[in-house]
Amino acid sequence: MQKFSAFALAKEALSGQKGWTRQWRDAAPKPAYEAIIVGGGGHGLGTAYYLAKKHGLRNIAVLEKGWIGGGNTGRNTTIIRSNYLFDESAALYDHSVKLWEGLSADLNYNVMFSQRGVMMLSHNVHDEQVFKRHVHANRLNGVDNEWLSPDQAKSFCPPLNIAPGMRHAVTGAALQRRAGTARHDAVAWGYARAADALGVDIIQNCEVTGIDRDASGRVSGVQTSRGAIATRRLGIVAAGNTSVLMAMAGQRMPLESYPLQALVSEPIKPIFPCVVMSNTIHAYISQSDKGELVIGAGTDAYISYSQRGALHISSHTLEAICELFPMFRRMRMLRNWGGIVDVTPDRSPIIAKTEVPGLYVNCGWGTGGFKATPGSADLFAYTMAKDEPHKINAPFNLERFGAGRLIDEAAAAAVAH
Amino acid sequence: MADIAIAPARRTAPLPGAVDRRIEKSAPLTRFVLRLPEESITAAGAALGLDFTAPINRAVTAGYRMALRLGPDEWLVLAPAADAAIPGALGAGLADRLFSLVDVSHRQTGIRLAGPHAGAMINALCPLDLGSAAFPVGMATRTIFAKADIVLWRTGIAEFHLEIWRSFAPYVVSLLHEIGREYPD
Amino acid sequence: MLVISCPYCGDRPEIEFSYGGEAHVVRAPASVTDEEWTAFLYQRSNARGSYAERWRHAHGCGRFFNARRNTVTDFFEQTYKIGEAPA
Amino acid sequence: MTQKYRLATGGLIDRRVTVPFTFDGKAMTGHAGDTLASALLANGVHLVGRSFKYHRPRGIVSAGAEEPNALVGVGRDEGHYTPNLRATQVELYHGLRAESQNRTPSLERDVGSITDRLWRFFPAGFYYKTFMWPKGAWTKFFEPRIRAIAGLGRSPAAPDAARYAQIYAHCDVLVIGAGPAGLSAALAAAETGARVILCDEQPQFGGALLAEPGQSAWLAEQRARLAGFANITMLPRTIAFGYFPHNMIGLAQDLTDHQGETSDDAPRGRLWQVRAKQVITATGAIERPLVFPDNDRPGIMLADAARTYVERYAVKPGNRAVVFTAHDDAYRAAVSLHEAGVTIAAIVDLRESPEGPCLDAARAAGLPIRTHATIIGTEGNLRVAAVSVATIGAANAERIACDLVLMSGGFTPSVHLFSQSRGKLAFDPALDAFIPGTPAEPTIAAGAASGCQSLEAAIASGRAAGLSATGQAVAAPVAETVAAGFLGEVPHGRDPASVRAFVDFQNDVTAKDITLALAEGFRSIEHVKRYTTTGMATDQGKTSNMNALGIVSKSLGVPIPSIGTTTFRMPYTPIPFGYFAGYARGDLFEPVRETPIHAWAAEQGAVFEDVSLWKRARYFPRGAETMHEAVARECAAVRAGVGLFDASTLGKIEITGPDAAEFLNRMYVNAWTKLKPGRLRYGILLREDGFIIDDGVVGRIADDRFHVTTTTGGAARVLNMMEDYLQTEFTDLKVWLTSTTEQYAVIAVQGPRAREVIAPLVEDADISAAAMPHMSVVECRVAGVPARLFRVSFTGELGFEINVPADYGRAVWEAIDQAGQTHGIVPYGTETMHVLRAEKGYIIVGQETDGTATPDDVGLTWAIGKAKPDFVGKRALARTALASQTDRKQLVGLLTADPAEVLEEGAHLVADPAQPIPMTMLGHVTSSYWSAALNRSIALAMVRNGRARIGETLHVPLPGRSVAVTLTDPVFYDPEGARLDG
Ligand SMILES: Cc1cc2nc3c(=O)[nH]c(=O)nc-3n(C[C@H](O)[C@H](O)[C@H](O)COP(=O)(O)OP(=O)(O)OC[C@H]3O[C@@H](n4cnc5c(N)ncnc54)[C@H](O)[C@@H]3O)c2cc1C
Ligand SMILES: NC(=O)c1ccc[n+]([C@@H]2O[C@H](COP(=O)([O-])OP(=O)(O)OC[C@H]3O[C@@H](n4cnc5c(N)ncnc54)[C@H](O)[C@@H]3O)[C@@H](O)[C@H]2O)c1
Ligand SMILES: Cc1cc2nc3c(=O)[nH]c(=O)nc-3n(C[C@H](O)[C@H](O)[C@H](O)COP(=O)(O)O)c2cc1C
Ligand SMILES: [Zn+2]
């Protein structure tokens, strides 16, 4: 792999940028692979990378129906945090944050992980109770999270309106300082480049249309828009499309796929230093390094694979943004888009073996899986390599629904992202 | 038993303050949610003197009584507050037929919005087509106005009656007032 | 904002409706096995393409009804009353 | 400054009205009818901004919405300031204040332009390749610096002072664009009587014809005809920005912004959400720049834009121009400028041997034409000063001095909205452009937007669209020959490494950046976009996307249709957030729900809290009391005497019908059949997954009538859930549900003296302990008002909840308050209610439970009707994890070792406070208060296997210390319940 560095940039600057090589090969499918990952998002590419790097598999393909990073990885608001309530979740997401902290160096790709802090606003007594429960649990789990008064919140994020007369006045905030954002595209590309360097075939424009199984029921390969490919180890990491793929192996999933929207404003000079989320009034906002205000909206009410959401949903979010940050009312929406998020009944992910031998699934990240990308990929690679879950992802199995062993972050906190 | 004399109680309307010049608060009404299975419809109509066979989302009136058919088996029956005869008349008229009658006189309040811009003012935040073909005089339906559920009844070309749950009424009226600021009449 | 044809009221704007998830998922009796119960409670076809779903005209006539909608285009194929068979 | 470049005659500006304005503090004038851009040009100003990455000097390129460069901040003060406005779209008004952006200290001398000198170090994607070391340096060092250089304008610093309006509208035909095609379409549709809406983003209708003096008569005639139709709604200054499913179009109408410093009373703009049976997009076409070395200097502009400045705004954009083209239309521009007195130094045509009437006209005017030629470079610092022209393939170039360069690479139909509607684009090889193909919605494209180039064809296609949208017969389209133009980087024969030919002017993306991306393996056009940021600037690539596509196509040898376009998304041009937020502001953001007793409480100085949309009185401070003091006083008063509480926000549902009891049997965990009329029961509602979703007291009013109460926040959810089961699951039951939440005001009178207080007010009922035991209900009159009187207690004291018709709520409340004076009655709020119920171990759904608790977890197994074959959630309770008796968190009480210590709600419990992190947490504190009755703190907690641990000591680790707690039964006060029977 060509080494990226300031030195390399300087060298190429002086020699007409002619020395840059492909960041990953445009691989054509081989007849068979040791392991196949379906889905070229951050989670899928990362899984391939860790399978190759940590578990020594060499003959791996990532099949992507479009272009890598074109799914939710390329369309999310990039909020990264780990201040989840339940022990299982805190362990999972904090595993991820720790990997984020070294990811640029590990991949030799600047994923711009920016620990600028994520602040979650409380607007009433109930919010306070919920957030304080988080703060306490996080502290005992070794995850940083602190409670701020409205004034402290304002000084951390000066554009915030904390006027007590507001319809939903800010009564405090929970702040995770280690939390922040990263550059979404760079995550996909950085993993792709590093995986490719370890021999992983990244095969784009290759849609999986069927899953083959042998007489014993075990996975034997996949049918794709570019022909059949054999494998005995198949990982489905297809986010919104998981149900569609799992149906190819006869599996019904506890998933529903909803449209989730985001939007950006025109770029402006730095004004917004952190990430602010308000679940009560449905607003998520940060400012990208290029200067746009990046704003997340809610999901539409209905299942859809259309990758677009309704205007009334984004309008509702902008109402909230304008209340919290009244000077942004004149800022202008530049672009709005949608993704397809696969939501489980308890809003926690599934990183697990399935009842079909050789078939593994990583899904259900819903509105909040970008933050988990490195951790999820690492644990899924482990699960695929060892045919058993790592202890961190063991609770995130498929059996928990039937058993009633839910990890219900949503019920506990009504928190998205 | 009460051992002290009780003075007639004072009513406090849900819209205490003054309202917009185009908005009139309706007088106190008796309101019932009436639910009728198919087989009770004609008999109930006969009992109250109202045509309950009129189609869904239509209002019918007879004298001072009004009924808005809000669902296939649901009517909002309105009458002046003094009309205390409705439950009795229904009970007698329907004898052993099924029906459900619930008094919601105080659950909601009525306003009348009139003037050449009444339709536009409602359309500011109500997504229905209020053109006279799609929403003729006599049409009445539950719908959405901003974040409030309302019943919207077109009582004239440029005149609407709105039924609003009482705690939402100040919100709806304030919005109409705000919307109306740009219209001259 | 979609236009949804309520079988009782006709075409009405989406914000008058609430969504009810997949249709024709029959409630399992208390006697079923854990697997059957889990299937009823949690598993959904989540189909890409034609999908049978429930809506309620919550801010209208209040009725629940069923619909078939293409989840890729968001266009409705049909709506029909509870108890009726899809066309 | 005088308007040195203003022509003496012509144009649509009003020379009688002189409009003063400032740019970067410099005073200038323009005329009514000018845009900021035309006024700046009239004053000879081309340099208006700095580009995003390299901070290159940039000038006005276009005359419309596609402008990439001329971005300015405008506003009289911070409350009216907007960054990044396109000078080409800003109508000039008296006193307009504009400032340039992305430069320090000045437009002419900008320190940021250091990046331009170091441009070789900043190719596409450079930031992915560096700034990775040392750890943490990105967030602390590099990122803040990059952020400071990036961004364009600045945010307004003060809250927006403007108001915004919104409207929903319906029509038969919505015509977007009022050029010749749109006007013809609207008129053809209106003739049938159809409801038509015609919108155009410009202040006047006419589109391209506004710059065609020769067509003014035709235009005037069409406008006059429009005015004759009452069924056409005309919306100038209205941008169609988004095409949403089921033919809903978002329009943003400017109402007062263009008027400048008007009062804020009238709305600034209006958001339209139009539902159209048919949409006609007659949105015209956008001219393409040519991609040649150093093509970004101020003074280099689109040919048709230059012509527009001459013909529409009567402005001469320069004195000496070179025209660079691959399309005939630029010859029309050349002739226009020539006639306006601009010297045309050369017309440089990429094509080998172009012919046609436009060339003939240029020749006739004596303009010098060089065909098969190209521009290989330009000079000039803050304004173009010369170009180098060479025959294609030849080495030697001719330097031509100029202060203006016009360029035309042909026209790109504006398919943005059609594509947003999910219609499929078709590639037209004759045009070298995408045009609307198969639609997904009822939509028709017309005019230049559909690929027409001549006026005749545009008018005919517009008329045809109008006819077909209203279901009429349509004549065959007008035949015309169309011309393509040029896509991609022009041939220039120079070392690609040393030149910059800009594709995306705003984001500084050069042809070389695109080929670099391709070389690095970014092959999909979506990857090229994201790696280079081409098309991602505030103009969304209106002038650049096709050229980027051309470069990719040529480099990869793949035809354009196989590459496809990037996705068109709303909005077509940037729209202020305020339009979307509309009226929802301050108290109108969401309804503020108040109870019938709210005003009384407010008059007493109550402090309120938000519970869902409701305002609830939290406590009633007297004098300078703190919350703690007030609550302690209120609690003591209720325990010792009597208190008055507003419970009106509780959800209420009237359930009627012969099967009402059976319906409740199936919904609630409890058994209802045996509940007698006149009696109450506490009910628990589960979700189908077995977890508690709501609770409340249910009264049987008659055999076939129940009065159900729910939590405040759960009212709508519970009713919807009940309707769901009733309509879709239990369709055999004859039951009806009616929300009565707001029908009743609910006044809780609680305390040992409650009966004494209300007894004198009650008529038609015997409320003695014998006649009316705990958990019973009676219909009677209270204070002369018909009431449903519940004998029920959420405090553990003797208590009543009086339901009276809401309009009488305040009167009855006051009557009780009056009657209670001699008994020392006090009003109390939700905080006191919480303490009192916690002393009794009563749960609050949503506080003790969090969507993961079963009835057994919170000690309510007794409520479950064991004999019932089924109820919602029953089956789920049998699942392993729910049925477990040892593994679940259960409700317990907590007593701190130090009675003065009030735990924080949300704090967690551990067995060993000294264990290392991560600690094993056993549970958490759900409720915690100072109990005046017990003169100590109390708390409720959900603790793993808690019931078995009662008596044990656990620990609550806090920062720097730990609090020991003893687990107890959750009922702290009057465990026998003797006081209920008072
Ligand atoms: C608007 C929005 C905002 C969000 N905000 C946040 C946030 O702030 N923080 C956060 O943590 N998370 C957020 N998320 C969630 C987050 O984006 C996702 O959870 C995460 O990116 C999922 O990554 P992935 O790699 O699993 O999926 P994806 O990136 O979606 O990758 C799945 C890939 O599978 C491919 N695929 C599907 N079917 C097939 C097939 N049949 N054959 C081959 N390939 C196939 C798809 O094309 C896709 O590229 C947001 C999501 C959205 C939509
Ligand atoms: N090659 C060409 O395509 C070409 C070149 C030059 C001139 N012309 C001439 O242009 C005319 C074409 O007529 P036409 O009516 O098709 O186009 P037009 O350019 O005259 O009119 C389009 C109108 O649509 C408006 N518009 C565009 N997008 C909009 C949006 N999203 N919201 C609101 N308004 C929007 C524009 O402001 C403009 O007024 C003819 O006279 C033709 O000869 C064509
Ligand atoms: C964090 C983030 C920032 C973005 N910034 C921009 C931007 O500055 N300009 C832009 O045009 N799009 C921006 N986008 C949106 C993308 O252009 C695009 O809409 C998104 O990746 C979804 O893809 P699609 O619209 O092609 O379906 C951004 C997206 C994300 C996730
Ligand atoms: Zn309906």
Side-chain angles (χ1 to χ4, degrees), chain D residues 88-109:
Chain D
T88 53
Q89 289 179 302
V90 174
E91 286 180 57
L92 197 68
Y93 55 77
H94 192 97
L96 181 143
R97 259 170 273 180
E99 58 182 44
S100 61
Q101 311 184 140
N102 211 31
R103 82 298 184 268
T104 329
S106 74
L107 202 47
E108 289 75 18
R109 265 177 296 279

Side-chain angles (χ1 to χ4, degrees), chain B residues 10 12 100 147 166-167 181, chain D residues 265 589 656 742 807 814:
Chain B
R10 185 168 39 87
T12 317
S100 159
K147 289 162 191 154
R166 60 184 301 128
S167 71
R181 278 171 66 180
Chain D
D265 227 35
F589 174 66
T656 60
E742 300 225 35
D807 277 3
E814 287 178 349

Side-chain angles (χ1 to χ4, degrees), chain A residues 200-264:
Chain A
V200 173
D201 279 357
I202 290 159
I203 305 167
Q204 303 185 79
N205 301 311
C206 180
E207 178 167 3
V208 171
T209 53
I211 295 177
D212 299 331
R213 296 162 70 177
D214 65 18
S216 75
R218 190 186 169 87
V219 165
S220 59
V222 289
Q223 298 292 325
T224 79
S225 55
R226 297 175 72 173
I229 312 175
T231 190
R232 291 177 63 74
R233 214 174 331 207
L234 182 63
I236 306 292
V237 202
N241 282 292
T242 305
S243 296
V244 179
L245 278 150
M246 293 297 283
M248 295 172 193
Q251 303 294 299
R252 272 169 78 89
M253 296 294 288
L255 290 173
E256 291 186 310
S257 295
Y258 291 97
L260 181 67
Q261 302 179 62
L263 61 97
V264 287

